[in-house]
Amino acid sequence: MAATNSPDVRVPLGRSAQPGHGEARGYLEMLNLFRVVACAAVVANHSFIWANMSTNVIGTGFITVLHLSRNAFFFLSGLVICYSQISHPRGLRAFWKRRYVQLGVPYLAWTIIYLVFSLIIVSLSWHEVWSFLRQNLLMGYSQLYPAFVIFQFCLVFPLLLRMLRATHRHEVIMGLSLAFALVLGVTLHYPWLAPWATDVERALSAVVPWSRDLLTYQEFLVAGALVALHFDDVCTFVAKHMRRIFVLSGVTGGLMVLWYAVQVDTGASLLRASDAYQPEAVVWYFAAIAAMFALSLWWDSRPKKPAGPGRPSWTTSAGLGALTGGVWLSHNLFLTSLRSLLGALGLRSALPWEATVAILFVGTVLISGTFVSLILRTRVRWVLGGPARAEQRAEYDALRASPLLSTGQAPSGNAAGPSRPLTSKT
């Protein structure tokens, strides 16, 4: 790691921020490792939760830290959605069509799969099917709820991008977004401090639970969009201050664990002490995201060795990154099955909790990773396996080579035809 502050660390993009219609850019390879780390954190977090940590102080401490996974996912989503639109503009109808179809079809497919799984394995009765579909199609089944939040974000994103491009005071926008997140966190975690706000919060949560509401995660989506707009400048800053970012993230994580311990020691329940929405946790999430971004930049900046013809794809960050969407969609199926198997064998109560978590995590990663790698070889790869990264790379390469881009027209990937881009170039 000694070279991380070296001035020759390669920044993936070497041009100014906010590319216009004629400045097509390629697939962001450096985000592959970010996807892998975020996905591993999701599976690890659920492995702890599924191992029943309701009375386990140490295990719940890990859960407190690993809550970062959902917010890292939202940051990445905001970054990718914004970066894709500013580098390869699409008309409003084409933008919505692409985003809702690309994520909506896997969302629907896996909701049906989990319905069948619940009927067969979880003993869901047939008269509960309609209730299951109504609840989970609208709000998201278990780990699928981030898709419901992204649907909300895509709906308002055109307006957000127009606002961001209409002003250069992006630090003010980020500050207001973060301030709202902290106020909301105080309202949710310390309701006695502002009773009037708590009444409003309860009325709103009766419509859409805060765990599924865009407002709960908006600061991470806004941060991702702003990073996309200033991608080169952010990469340059991160490359220059990489060591400091890692140290700051480690210190912040230590303070988060200490705060968790203080709450438990002063009588707070484990559920309350590990609350994912407490305002103190927002600081930790941003620190962790910064470290993950820095790690991804460092990894992508290392000298690359030529890949041999027989090198397995799972040994590369690109190969692992291609699996992450499918692992996120499917892992609950295998994690629940492994947990049931351990229970049927009498091992869930006999094994130490550390062993149970390890078996759930390693087993789920291996099984879901193998499943997705097989799915990606079929014609239903994007339906069950999430975004097909190889096809996205090919699409971006084709867009960069398209003569339309030199004239400022919408790229050929615009399924809605020659419609006007969401916003004009600033």
Side-chain angles (χ1 to χ4, degrees), residues 170-181:
H170 291 169
E171 69 281 1
V172 175
I173 293 175
M174 188 66 245
L176 292 174
S177 175
L178 184 58
F180 176 83

Side-chain angles (χ1 to χ4, degrees), residues 149-166:
V149 177
I150 297 302
F151 294 153
Q152 299 171 60
F153 177 68
C154 289
L155 184 64
V156 302
F157 173 74
L159 179 62
L160 173 65
L161 182 57
R162 184 177 294 275
M163 179 180 68
L164 293 176
R165 281 184 148 166

Side-chain angles (χ1 to χ4, degrees), residues 220-237:
F220 303 103
L221 291 155
V222 170
L226 289 174
V227 168
L229 287 167
H230 301 278
F231 195 81
D232 292 346
D233 293 335
V234 171
C235 287
T236 300
F237 177 87

Side-chain angles (χ1 to χ4, degrees), residues 132-314:
F132 178 97
L133 290 175
R134 182 179 57 190
Q135 172 67 24
N136 293 303
L137 286 177
L138 290 178
M139 299 293 179
Y141 174 85
S142 189
Q143 87 283 5
L144 299 184
Y145 76 88
F148 180 68
V149 177
I150 297 302
F151 294 153
Q152 299 171 60
F153 177 68
C154 289
L155 184 64
V156 302
F157 173 74
L159 179 62
L160 173 65
L161 182 57
R162 184 177 294 275
M163 179 180 68
L164 293 176
R165 281 184 148 166
T167 177
H168 295 290
R169 302 302 300 273
H170 291 169
E171 69 281 1
V172 175
I173 293 175
M174 188 66 245
L176 292 174
S177 175
L178 184 58
F180 176 83
L182 294 175
V183 170
L184 179 60
V186 169
T187 303
L188 292 173
H189 195 70
Y190 304 104
W192 60 85
L193 294 178
W196 64 269
T198 301
D199 293 338
V200 174
E201 172 264 315
R202 289 175 178 171
L204 292 175
S205 65
V207 180
V208 178
W210 287 112
S211 61
R212 265 77 169 164
D213 198 311
L214 172 63
L215 294 176
T216 309
Y217 310 101
Q218 51 80 29
E219 68 271 28
F220 303 103
L221 291 155
V222 170
L226 289 174
V227 168
L229 287 167
H230 301 278
F231 195 81
D232 292 346
D233 293 335
V234 171
C235 287
T236 300
F237 177 87
V238 170
K240 183 178 180 181
H241 300 283
M242 196 169 288
R243 286 182 178 174
R244 295 183 179 91
I245 291 172
F246 288 140
V247 171
L248 181 61
S249 177
V251 171
T252 306
L255 291 175
M256 188 67 224
V257 173
L258 179 62
W259 174 239
Y260 162 79
V262 168
Q263 292 184 86
V264 173
D265 190 57
T266 53
S269 67
L270 296 185
L271 182 63
R272 176 173 177 77
S274 63
D275 180 14
Y277 307 108
Q278 55 186 306
E280 297 84 358
V282 174
V283 180
W284 156 238
Y285 299 149
F286 272 108
I289 290 170
M292 291 167 62
F293 190 92
L295 179 64
S296 302
L297 178 61
W298 170 79
W299 184 264
D300 189 61
S301 301
R302 298 174 312 124
K304 302 295 188 300
K305 294 182 180 180
R311 185 179 181 184
S313 62
W314 58 268

Side-chain angles (χ1 to χ4, degrees), residues 51-74:
N52 188 15
M53 295 290 134
S54 59
T55 59
N56 189 317
V57 176
I58 297 177
T60 304
F62 279 100
I63 293 174
T64 304
V65 175
L66 289 170
H67 279 318
L68 68 93
S69 57
R70 72 187 72 184
N71 303 297
F73 173 84
F74 289 124

